Amino acid sequence: MQPLLQLEGIKKNFGGLQVLGGIDLALEAGQMRAIIGPNGCGKTTLFNVISGAFAPTSGKVMFRGEDITGQAPHRIARMGMARKFQVPGIYPTLTVAENLEAARLSFGWRRARGNVASDRTLRRIIERFGLHDALEHAAGTLAHGKKQWLEIAMLLSMHASLLLLDEPTAGMSVAETAATAELVAQIANERGVTVLVIEHDMSFVRALGCPLVVTLRGRILFEGSYQDAQANRDVREAYLGNA
């Protein structure tokens, strides 16, 4: 089976500084991976390359069997790739319903009839994320955790096949983090959405129950299960600690 996303020898330099030193990674449709690694090891830069914000210095990005290396972010997004940044990218003065509608319409779903309330897929997303009681509230008035959930719901309303989630639990409480892990795992399982997530919260990563990719100095140090990562001496020394 052809991978939905395939990275081949991705390198990225900024002047004389090499941030990515040759990343190879493949994700099939419906798979989920969590990328972990110390600050400054190139995780967000990798997302920038995948989503088209940066062109790689060398290497190739394949999505849906097409070479998208260096293509514009809006074109890549319209192919079905959606990205969540560390800071919630919502429209604070619009209502929750208007945020979801804006996300749907901005990515080419103009043929859809009706509004958020009449769209079955969006209704299920709203219920799943506990946003049904806040549809007419300004998004900026939501608690931080629900702002994060709203942005993930917005990505799903775009009918994306690949979600890039950059620290989706940043600033969340322990309870919100656990709920987010459950939601993301259920979405991946039930809707067949492919998910690539960057996260530092190891409780969240463990709760996802998906394979890990451990990066160090712009390269992949380890790929495998959470349990195997814990048992790997190189991973412990580089990131998890030896305690």
Side-chain angles (χ1 to χ4, degrees), residues 111-128:
R111 290 174 294 179
R113 295 182 178 181
N115 54 25
V116 168
S118 64
D119 186 304
R120 291 182 180 179
T121 299
L122 284 183
R123 285 208 310 272
R124 287 195 293 270
I125 294 171
I126 291 163
E127 292 291 332
R128 172 63 57 79

Side-chain angles (χ1 to χ4, degrees), residues 82-95:
R83 178 180 179 183
K84 185 196 179 310
F85 293 84
Q86 295 176 16
V87 178
I90 61 173
Y91 304 103
T93 60
L94 299 182
T95 66

Side-chain angles (χ1 to χ4, degrees), residues 31 39-40 51 59 88 93 105 136-137 154-155 167-168 173 190 238:
Q31 289 187 326
N39 287 329
S51 61
T93 60
L105 298 182
E136 300 308 317
H137 297 175
M154 290 166 66
L155 301 185
E167 297 191 34
S173 67
E190 294 174 7

Side-chain angles (χ1 to χ4, degrees), residues 5 47-54 61-64 66-83 107 160-162 164:
L5 175 70
F47 268 23
N48 284 331
V49 170
I50 295 171
S51 61
F54 295 162
V61 181
M62 302 290 294
F63 181 54
R64 293 182 176 276
E66 181 177 335
D67 187 348
I68 62 168
T69 311
Q71 292 191 16
H74 72 272
R75 185 181 185 282
I76 295 173
R78 287 180 182 273
M79 292 176 64
M81 185 187 299
R83 178 180 179 183
F107 279 79
S161 56
L162 172 63
L164 303 178

Side-chain angles (χ1 to χ4, degrees), residues 7 9-13 18-25 35-38 40-43 45-46 58 212-223 234-235 238-239:
L7 311 179
I10 297 296
K11 295 183 178 181
K12 180 60 181 177
N13 299 340
Q18 184 176 77
V19 177
L20 299 176
I23 299 289
D24 296 305
L25 183 65
I35 301 177
I36 68 172
C41 69
K43 301 184 299 296
T45 297
L46 181 62
S58 62
L212 305 185
V213 177
V214 183
T215 57
L216 181 67
R217 302 187 188 94
R219 298 178 183 272
I220 292 178
L221 175 68
F222 170 89
E223 288 186 74
D234 293 335
V235 173
Y239 185 63

